[in-house]
Amino acid sequence: KMLGRVLCAVLFLGALQSPAEASQGHISVVLLGATGDLAKKYLWQGLFQLYMDQVSSGHSFTFHGAALTALEPGQRLMFDVLKKLSCPPDEAPNRCAVLKDQFLKLSQYHQLLTAENYTALNREIEALLRQEGLKEAGRIFYFSVPPFAYTEIARHINSSCRPAPGAWLRVVLEKPFGHDLQSAQQLAAELTGFFREEEMYRVDHYLGKQAVAHILPFRDQNRQFLDPIWNRHHVERVEIVLKETVDAKGRTSFYEQYGVIRDVLQNHLTEALMFLIMELPANVSRAEEVLQHKLQSFQSLWGLEKNSAVLGQYQAYSSQVQEELQQAQDYVSTTPTFAGVLIRSDSLRWEGVPFLLTSGKALDERVGYARVLFKNRAYCTQSETLRDAGHSQCKAKQIIFYFGHGALNTPAVLVSRNLFRPVMPKDSWKEAVSQSDLHVFGQPLSDYYVYSPVKERDAYSVLISNIYHGRKDFFITTENLLASWGFWTPLLDGISRQPLRLYPGGVENQHLLDFEMVSGGLAFTLAEPAELLNPPRQMPSDYKAIQSKYRQSPLVSAWSEDLISQLASDMEEAAVRSVARSGQFHLALSGGSSPVILFQRLARHHYAFPWKHTHVWLVDERCVPLTDGESNFFTLHSHLLQSVRVPYFNIHPMPVHLNRRLCVEEDRGTEQYAEDIVALVANASFDLVLLGVGTDGHTASLFPRSENGLEGAPTVVLTESPVKPHQRMSLSLPLINKARQVFVLVLGKGKHDITTLLSRVGHEPRKWPISGVSPSSGQLVWYVDYEALLG
């Protein structure tokens, strides 16, 4: 009743059009966690801004704050926040006072603890609509609560608080959305059970920052200038940075679970990167197109390795964790508070361009930006002091999306004057007056065209407005969320045991955290000072590759990343020896998932590999088209061949797809491949064959009790796999055993049982085909990681 009287009063005052005239319906906004920190700092102010902006739009509003706190104390806490709400400086004081008074009267607190509480809230909303004769437009539920509470709240909303048919539901979710791919998949699956994809709005508040939100419009409005230069031929590198001066004190319980990569890089900085590198859709206003192009950009990124990142931790962090989480005095946290990560793409536009993402706490300044630095091929004869900034081609050329804080202390877009004068929308961005004493990246501000927002707005106000308007492109879809976690999780797993560089914090860091690109990865430029080091603790990465025997053959074992590094080096060494001996290197490679990281390692780190003289053969192939994602050749091409310079005629895919059909004996694909081997490979003896091992003891596509390929002539055979796709083509065991060298790669805990079993059995290829690998005049070497070897 109270809210109904207030709505009538608001309509009477003329702030809204009357429902009879032009009402677009009523919107109920429910803020869950209404008395929490985020709500106090940003969300209530953002909702008030929405009300001020839309009060004359034809919609009517009510605002329902909700929390677990009992009614009376919760109401008091909430209204203490609401009384402190403010209007923008350009709002007339009288109108501000009226709107604030109306907003407070349209707001109400609810305790939402049980299913009955949600049912009561629904009844109250429906009663208000009936009493005032209002049509319901929709409901917004803003989850400003920890993710562990999402599922229960979602269940209550879905069962008893959905709007009537014809009205929309928008559920707003705050990060973190999981802490790795598996947890994100689980949370997404739970929420999908209650809400449709179009109903969920996952918030990354960085997408509401005005400079970030303007990246795509800027690229779109300046296509004529950017199309020729927004590519690998002209861009030297891209930097996306968020530096903070504050530390994690008071937040260590959260930070210990997440760390800087999960907290900042996986979401904020990655989203900014996607806006910079994604292909522009024809219409940047179409959310579906934007989201699809973002997803395609994720798919073009190289997988991250351990050496893709440098990590640090400010010195006081472990003691803060000890104090706040009651840890023992000797507790040492391995959570990074600083990270620099090198990302690369294999897209035609960006291949070879480094993307550097950097963030940290307790640094020397608070600033955030995305910087695109262009290559400069000019040489200028005029002395530097006489050069005209607007025309000198020797000045740095860059475009900077300045998120805020730092020297400028405002969101901004900066474009070097020797690039072009950008097109900017005059209603929302204004050209800034140059301040001669300010420098950005070593250049005076006068070297740039500088634009700042006409009206500076808080990120949450921007996002809440976009929720109201249903703009999904400012939010994270389930598909993009899982693509992001799929990209970052392997790195997070790989660095979990990596030592961190300690730094004192603030300006005292000096050059301690400077890093450089080295051998396809990152490394700190300075050695770590002795006084900053912890007492020596043996980390898993300190253990070196161990060599001994396995099944009477040499064994190399190490942690998987070190093992892959060793294997790649040994392969390069074998290739160099072979080319020196015969002028060629014939390499036969297996399929499966294990070799993928090896292929990537060879592509990114082994520039001395004699690819020009290498013939690449397949050990086995699935009977699918070579363009199929299940094809071994497709995997090999995606992760290795497209990145190295192997002559076209030196690449030998298995002929599984002939006469528009797959693996038909009459097409003689096996005979054709065998003939090619005899014709090109001396004595049909490959210089090196790389094999893997299945959990059932199969190798290549030779399976236990296989009818073909385990004995007889050294040839190529068709086989049957117990798993789909069933039909395979494979080198036979006798052909494999003619090789000069055979390397067997075994990775992961899933292979521990078969590794243990094989160590105890003899030569029984019909039971375990891998046991029949025994080069007649060559060498067999096993490469087994610690997890497979030791469990």
Side-chain angles (χ1 to χ4, degrees), residues 87-202:
C87 295
D90 58 351
E91 193 70 70
N94 289 345
R95 185 172 188 269
C96 176
V98 170
L99 290 174
K100 184 174 175 181
D101 183 59
Q102 290 171 359
F103 183 79
L104 265 67
K105 288 175 179 174
L106 291 170
S107 301
Q108 189 172 344
Y109 178 80
H110 306 262
Q111 183 185 32
L112 290 185
L113 189 59
T114 65
E116 291 74 22
N117 296 148
Y118 284 86
T119 304
L121 172 62
N122 186 59
R123 280 199 302 265
E124 188 171 317
I125 292 172
E126 289 177 345
L128 176 69
L129 295 168
R130 282 195 306 272
Q131 289 165 15
E132 303 308 318
L134 294 170
K135 176 188 173 185
E136 185 165 27
R139 299 182 189 181
I140 296 172
F141 284 85
Y142 200 119
F143 285 41
S144 180
V145 295
F148 66 75
Y150 283 4
T151 304
E152 185 180 357
I153 294 171
R155 184 179 295 109
H156 291 318
I157 292 171
N158 185 56
S159 63
S160 57
C161 238
R162 276 186 169 274
W168 46 256
L169 172 66
R170 291 174 189 157
V171 176
V172 188
L173 305 164
E174 276 284 345
K175 78 175 187 76
F177 313 117
H179 62 270
D180 58 14
L181 179 58
Q182 185 179 356
S183 59
Q185 286 172 327
Q186 182 180 344
L187 182 57
E190 290 169 357
L191 291 172
T192 304
F194 303 112
F195 305 127
R196 297 190 301 274
E197 181 64 35
E198 63 268 23
E199 294 176 330
M200 290 186 283
Y201 288 69
R202 290 184 185 84

Side-chain angles (χ1 to χ4, degrees), residues 255-270:
Y255 222 75
E256 271 296 272
Q257 294 180 64
Y258 291 93
V260 67
I261 294 179
R262 291 181 174 92
D263 188 34
V264 178
L265 277 76
Q266 179 271 328
N267 37 68
H268 305 330
L269 303 194
T270 301

Side-chain angles (χ1 to χ4, degrees), residues 512-569:
L512 260 182
L513 299 178
D514 294 352
F515 56 84
E516 59 188 337
M517 290 175 275
V518 179
S519 302
L522 295 182
F524 286 115
T525 55
L526 295 180
E528 192 164 19
E531 63 268 20
L532 279 175
L533 292 172
N534 279 326
R537 292 178 293 123
Q538 201 164 33
M539 302 293 288
S541 58
D542 295 331
Y543 295 103
K544 302 303 178 188
I546 58 172
Q547 293 202 347
S548 55
K549 293 280 186 179
Y550 178 79
R551 291 184 55 82
Q552 289 78 53
S553 294
L555 167 69
V556 181
S557 191
W559 293 108
S560 59
E561 194 159 335
D562 296 330
L563 184 72
I564 291 295
S565 176
Q566 183 65 52
L567 173 55
S569 297

